[in-house]
Amino acid sequence: MALYSEVAGEGPAVALVHEGICDSRMWDDQWERWSESYRLLRVDLRGFGRTPLESEPYSHARDVIGALEQHGIEDAAVVGVSLGGRVAMELALARPDLVRALVLVAPGFPGHEWSEELRALWGEEEAAFDAGDLDGAVEVSLRTWVDGPRRRPEDVDPEVRARVGEMQRQAYELQRDWIDEELLVPDLPQRLGELDLPTLVLVGEEDQPDMQAIVERLAREIPGAGRATIPASAHVPSMERPREFDELVLPFLEETA
């Protein structure tokens, strides 16, 4: 099954991979500006946005490889957030010929020992989802990831909360019959030292402590990785602080083009 994908612009290729509470619309703030200098690809992973979740085995990373090949992209910088960050690392390990650089924003990480606080929030979200209360599940997700552990909903731009909430609710609708993904690189945690390519690791200042810990580990174990924190943002810094995000990412993309 082909993912929904779109391309724009001319220049060195950059693939944008969304996080698990969003879909490709999370990149709207970057899409027009970045396409002035780069050939951009963005996708909706299975169960997100305009790509359904079908009852067959799948790997997000394998699907993104298919999208790169479909559009004739042979050398891309991959920018991935959360789930998309984990997918980006899998891509770079499985197909290093396709990836010239990585931008990892609070990436997911298999095998991380998640905190009791975060597991409790996931349990609350899952209970609402299982009860058919999708609006309640969305609100728990927004509190967890968009607000973060130290801020109140009123501390966050309501437009950002609304945009993420719309994407998260659509994902719930598509994922009612969830099928677990098969990782393309199941031993990812043991292979960080093989990511021998330019890498920038980012995290929002207000993101969950678990994500801060993951970013610290990646900055230590990926050879030569750069690291930065984006102030006044949680798990969607590219949406919440697009100017600050661009000021960190665009110079890195220019250096690695």
Side-chain angles (χ1 to χ4, degrees), residues 157-175:
D157 185 339
E159 181 181 349
V160 172
R161 278 185 122 254
R163 289 170 63 196
V164 175
E166 178 184 355
M167 290 184 279
Q168 176 69 96
R169 198 181 199 288
Q170 183 171 356
Y172 288 148
E173 294 282 1
L174 292 170
Q175 297 168 10

Side-chain angles (χ1 to χ4, degrees), residues 29 37 42 61 89 93 102 150 169 187 213 223 228 230 256:
D29 292 323
S37 303
R42 61 177 171 177
M89 287 187 282
L93 288 168
L102 289 174
R150 302 189 300 184
R169 198 181 199 288
D187 58 347
I230 301 174
T256 57

Side-chain angles (χ1 to χ4, degrees), residues 20-97:
I21 59 172
C22 296
D23 54 48
S24 62
R25 289 173 289 177
M26 72 168 287
W27 300 113
D28 285 351
D29 292 323
Q30 287 74 39
W31 193 246
E32 184 173 348
R33 292 194 304 274
W34 291 19
S35 64
E36 294 175 2
S37 303
Y38 297 96
R39 186 182 185 211
L40 302 181
L41 165 71
R42 61 177 171 177
V43 301
D44 286 336
L45 301 174
R46 296 197 197 207
F48 297 92
R50 287 154 283 193
T51 303
L53 182 64
E54 298 180 351
S55 57
E56 60 183 14
Y58 69 99
S59 156
H60 289 315
R62 186 177 292 110
D63 286 343
V64 176
I65 289 170
L68 290 167
E69 292 176 339
Q70 174 190 345
H71 292 286
I73 296 173
E74 299 177 346
D75 178 43
V78 183
V79 183
V81 188
S82 193
L83 166 64
R86 187 263 292 166
V87 171
M89 287 187 282
E90 288 191 89
L91 281 175
L93 288 168
R95 289 292 304 274
D97 56 306

Side-chain angles (χ1 to χ4, degrees), residues 112-126 140-141 143-145 148-150 207-211 213:
H112 176 73
E113 189 174 339
W114 301 101
S115 66
E116 291 183 9
E117 292 80 4
L118 197 49
R119 290 199 300 267
L121 287 165
W122 282 334
E124 186 180 347
E125 179 184 358
E126 184 177 0
V140 177
S141 179
R143 288 198 339 253
T144 304
W145 297 116
R150 302 189 300 184
D207 208 341
Q208 293 288 339
D210 288 79
M211 305 315 301

